[in-house]
Structures are given as C-alpha cells and as structure tokens.
Amino acid sequence: MTLVFATNNPNKIKEVQALIPKHITLLSLKDIDCFEDIPETQLTIEGNAIEKATYIKNKYGYDCFADDTGLEVEALNGEPGVSSARYAGEQRNSNDNINKLLNGLENKSNRNALFKTIIALIINNKTHIFTGVCEGGITETKFGNKGFGYDPVFKPNGYQKTFAEMDLNLKNSIGHRGKAVTLLVNFLNS
C-alpha cells in the first residue's frame, strides 16, 4: 500500500514515519513533485485536514492523508487553535508564535491547554477522520530542543517534561499526533 502524507513539514514526516508499519510506503509531497502551497482556508482543524487531503487526491490522484493540528489554550479562549501555525503572522515562525503565546499568558494562573490533531484519510474515494488529543499545560518559559512548534512550552499532564525534552518514542506514545496516527494505522490494518 502506498499513501501520500500531505505535508511539507519534515518534522511531521519523521514523527509519522516512526509509527507507520513497513508494509505501507509513505510518500511526501516532495516525492510526488508537489511544491505548491496547499490551501488551508477552513475555519476548523478538521476542515483544513479534509481540504488538504482532498486537494492532493483531486490534483494528483493518490490515496492520501493530511493532518492539521491546533493548540487550544483555555485562558486564551481556545487560541491559537486553527491559527496555531500562523499565530504570530504568515511567516509561520515557531519562536514568534511561542513568544506571542507566552505574552498572552503573562499574569494568568490558568495555563491549561490541549493539543488536537485531526487526520483526514482519503482511500478508495472515501474520507475517514481520526482525532488525537493530548491535555497538558503551558510552561512559563521554553524547555528542551527536540520536537517543533509549541513543543518547548507544552507539558503533557502527568509528565515533568515538555514535548521538546522527550524522545520521539515517548512523545509519539502520549502525544496528539501519535494517537491520531495510531487510529489511522489500526484502520489501515483492519
């Protein structure tokens, strides 16, 4: 089985590749010569995942899946949410996004947050949705240099480390993306 993972993010590819069984060949957008920006114009995480997968299926014809992830912070009324990648602007800079987030939480005691990943799989011309959620909190400063995005400031419940301090296996076993990919893999194996 061959599937396209509709992302240009090498960090996401690395995380997902670690969870996909060997009998599934995972292709990146680069592998199918897709170098354009895929639209993400929907108002929800699920909508963006479906939009990206549909774009690849319609334009390139491959069975594929796409994910969209959002960090939802309770004290910020669910922000950055669907705008997580562009929270501090179209440049999609992780440090800028984290700085804006930490500034928004300054003097707030409620630091509860959750990461949500939605995967939209299009296979045999049917769309299937898989959701992974990881609850935790936002630290007051950055810790660790692994991972990407908001990982240096997100500490999952029950752990004393941020995602950026964890090895990939631990992060995948408890994290939002890992949970969603596990559901995807279980579906593909059934």
Side-chain angles (χ1 to χ4, degrees):
M1 177 187 301
T2 299
L3 284 175
V4 171
F5 181 18
T7 186
N8 281 314
N9 185 325
N11 296 301
K12 283 186 182 182
I13 292 169
K14 182 179 171 187
E15 282 187 10
V16 170
Q17 187 71 60
L19 295 167
I20 296 285
K22 300 292 178 237
H23 71 274
I24 298 173
T25 302
L26 195 62
L27 300 177
S28 68
L29 292 178
K30 192 169 105 178
D31 294 330
I32 64 167
D33 294 324
C34 174
F35 298 101
E36 66 262 31
D37 269 342
I38 298 174
E40 290 182 70
T41 61
Q42 302 305 306
L43 300 176
T44 63
I45 295 167
E46 182 174 326
N48 278 338
I50 292 169
E51 182 177 31
K52 290 188 279 188
T54 301
Y55 180 90
I56 294 302
K57 180 65 177 172
N58 289 346
K59 185 159 183 183
Y60 294 89
Y62 287 95
D63 285 339
C64 63
F65 65 95
D67 81 323
D68 199 33
T69 296
L71 175 66
E72 299 176 2
V73 180
E74 208 171 271
L76 300 177
N77 300 312
E79 284 186 10
V82 71
S83 303
S84 291
R86 297 175 183 84
Y87 193 44
E90 286 301 317
Q91 73 276 18
R92 299 182 189 195
N93 181 285
S94 293
N95 281 326
D96 293 349
N97 290 338
I98 288 172
N99 291 336
K100 180 176 179 178
L101 178 71
L102 293 178
N103 287 338
L105 286 173
E106 209 169 355
N107 304 319
K108 293 198 187 324
S109 57
N110 177 0
R111 301 186 80 86
N112 294 336
L114 65 82
F115 259 127
K116 181 191 295 178
T117 291
I118 307 251
I119 292 176
L121 167 71
I122 300 178
I123 192 165
N124 302 323
N125 294 312
K126 289 194 175 104
T127 303
H128 306 272
I129 303 296
F130 308 95
T131 304
V133 173
C134 182
E135 296 183 4
I138 303 300
T139 58
E140 292 187 7
T141 186
K142 299 176 202 172
F143 296 98
N145 57 10
K146 299 175 187 161
F148 62 101
Y150 296 93
D151 287 356
V153 294
F154 184 82
K155 188 186 295 184
N157 287 344
Y159 292 85
Q160 296 306 310
K161 294 179 175 182
T162 66
F163 274 161
E165 296 174 288
M166 294 180 178
D167 70 48
L168 184 58
N169 288 336
L170 177 57
K171 182 184 174 190
N172 271 342
S173 71
I174 64 170
H176 49 291
R177 187 169 296 103
K179 290 176 182 178
V181 172
T182 299
L183 294 172
L184 168 73
V185 169
N186 290 344
F187 173 82
L188 292 171
N189 285 336
S190 64

